[in-house]
């Protein structure tokens, strides 16, 4: 109230200072409000257990990410990624033959708030020579595959994660050695997300089509990604602009 009163004085310096302080005051409260919205209250024993486990494993994953991986370290990273991937889904039936697997929304939020998605992006950004991936880096190739599988299950019916992957797509399309997992991950990003389907640029469509052409027999999952881009199956809505772009680039790559 006092700062608002000071803004009414016919003295420019006082007006500027009062407006500056008001901006700082309301910005701080807005920031606290935004953080409060994102805050999680974990009340079930299973969620608390997941939180504690993730809290323990994330520093280890980050240490491994910034290190030159040995065979033993690759095994450790693989085990952590497997644990995080398992947390992302829940079986609604105990019968294995008729089990229904659904995304575990709470665990997805826990992993997202710990920054695990960004950590996985950092792993995938490791630059290696394609000639090595079949030899010395066979273990790292497995890690890359697990990263895409994790991102796929994290993105399932999860708009914030779908958006984060969408923003990193140019870099992800450069990751070598795992076209099937990459294709399934991209397909999950666009499945049911009309906003992202309408936001994709023709150049990204071109890159996916070129990957399909290069992979040939291994490009089936990338075709699933293109299918998700050209039609929102959940509401049976074909996207003519995307369809035209896909057909144009397919004709160019015959």
């Amino acid at each position: 109230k006092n700062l608002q009163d000071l803004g009414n004085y016919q003295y420019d310096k006082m007006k500027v200072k009062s407006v500056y302080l008001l901006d700082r005051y309301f910005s701080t409260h807005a920031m606290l409000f935004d953080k409060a919205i994102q805050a999680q209250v974990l009340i079930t024993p299973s969620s608390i257990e997941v939180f504690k486990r993730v809290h323990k494993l994330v520093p280890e994953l980050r240490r491994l990410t910034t290190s030159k991986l040995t065979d033993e370290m690759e095994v450790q990273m693989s085990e952590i990624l497997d644990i995080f991937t398992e947390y992302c889904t829940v079986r609604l039936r105990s019968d294995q033959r008729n089990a229904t697997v659904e995304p575990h929304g709470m665990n997805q939020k826990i992993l997202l708030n710990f920054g695990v998605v960004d950590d996985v992006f950092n792993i995938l950004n490791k630059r290696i020579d394609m000639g090595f991936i079949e030899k010395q880096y066979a273990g790292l190739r497995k890690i890359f595959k697990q990263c895409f599988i994790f991102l796929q299950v994290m993105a399932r019916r999860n708009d914030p994660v779908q958006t984060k992957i969408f923003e990193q797509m140019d870099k992800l399309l450069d990751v070598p050695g795992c076209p099937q997992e990459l294709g399934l991950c991209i397909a999950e990003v666009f499945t049911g997300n009309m906003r992202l389907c309408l936001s994709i640029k023709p150049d990204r469509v071109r890159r996916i089509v070129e990957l399909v052409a290069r992979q040939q027999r291994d490009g089936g999952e990338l075709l699933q990604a293109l299918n998700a881009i050209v039609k929102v199956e959940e509401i049976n809505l074909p996207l003519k602009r995307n369809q035209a772009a896909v057909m144009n680039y397919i004709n160019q790559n015959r």
Side-chain angles (χ1 to χ4, degrees):
K1 180 67 176 176
N2 291 336
L3 290 173
Q4 290 176 320
D5 291 340
L6 288 173
N8 294 323
Y9 280 80
Q10 300 301 316
Y11 181 51
D12 289 343
K13 287 187 176 180
M14 188 175 292
K15 283 185 176 181
V16 171
K17 290 292 185 181
S18 64
V19 170
Y20 170 76
L21 290 173
L22 281 169
D23 177 69
R24 289 291 300 275
Y25 176 81
F26 285 107
S27 294
T28 300
H29 281 69
M31 180 181 67
L32 290 173
F33 180 73
D34 289 340
K35 288 185 176 181
I37 291 176
Q38 297 174 11
Q40 289 180 284
V41 178
L42 305 176
I43 56 175
T44 63
S46 59
S47 294
I48 294 171
E49 180 62 31
V50 169
F51 177 90
K52 291 179 179 178
R53 190 84 185 277
V54 174
H55 184 266
K56 179 180 179 180
L57 291 176
V58 164
E60 183 66 15
L61 179 65
R62 289 173 181 165
R63 181 185 69 82
L64 294 170
T65 301
T66 56
S67 304
K68 185 175 180 180
L69 295 180
T70 63
D71 290 345
E72 182 180 351
M73 294 166 73
E74 286 174 358
V75 171
Q76 293 175 356
M77 181 178 285
S78 176
E79 290 174 350
I80 293 173
L81 290 171
D82 279 342
I83 291 170
F84 289 168
T85 300
E86 186 177 350
Y87 283 158
C88 292
T89 58
V90 57
R91 291 185 180 273
L92 299 184
R93 296 180 184 176
S94 57
D95 182 2
Q96 292 294 325
R97 295 181 61 183
N98 299 311
T100 302
V101 179
E102 290 289 324
H104 196 303
M106 179 56 71
N107 288 356
Q108 286 177 332
K109 289 179 181 178
I110 292 172
L111 291 162
L112 181 62
N113 287 346
F114 267 105
V116 176
V117 172
D118 293 321
D119 293 332
V120 169
F121 288 151
N122 291 334
I123 296 171
L124 290 169
N125 284 336
K126 285 180 176 290
R127 289 289 177 258
I128 63 173
D129 187 278
M130 187 59 190
F132 289 155
I133 202 164
E134 300 291 345
K135 300 176 183 177
Q136 292 95 324
Y137 287 89
L140 190 54
R141 180 181 183 180
K142 179 185 176 184
I143 295 294
F144 285 174
K145 288 183 176 184
Q146 289 179 282
C147 286
F148 280 122
I149 293 170
F150 168 77
L151 291 176
Q152 178 192 351
V153 294
M154 272 292 289
R156 194 163 296 158
R157 295 208 292 265
N158 192 333
D159 185 86
V161 176
Q162 289 174 335
T163 301
K164 287 176 84 65
I165 298 173
F166 180 82
E167 292 169 350
Q168 293 287 324
M169 192 172 298
D170 286 330
K171 293 180 180 179
L172 298 181
L173 289 171
D174 288 331
V175 177
C178 36
Q180 294 96 337
E181 292 77 13
L182 170 62
L184 291 174
C185 177
I186 295 175
E188 198 65 61
V189 168
F190 292 101
T191 298
N193 196 322
M194 185 168 65
R195 176 179 62 84
L196 294 183
C197 289
L198 294 173
S199 300
I200 190 169
K201 296 180 180 178
D203 185 61
R204 285 183 174 176
V205 176
R206 175 187 60 79
R207 294 192 62 191
I208 296 173
V209 172
E210 289 176 350
L211 273 176
V212 173
R214 287 200 301 269
Q215 297 298 327
Q216 297 181 356
R217 290 181 300 176
D218 294 331
E221 288 76 11
L222 290 164
L223 288 174
Q224 292 185 37
L226 290 174
N227 184 60
I229 290 169
V230 301
K231 184 179 181 182
V232 185
E233 290 286 353
E234 288 70 17
I235 56 176
N236 195 30
L237 176 65
L239 304 173
K240 295 186 181 299
R241 186 202 67 154
N242 293 356
Q243 288 177 338
V246 169
M247 291 306 301
N248 177 45
Y249 293 123
I250 286 177
N251 289 331
Q252 292 180 19
N253 283 274
R254 281 183 175 177

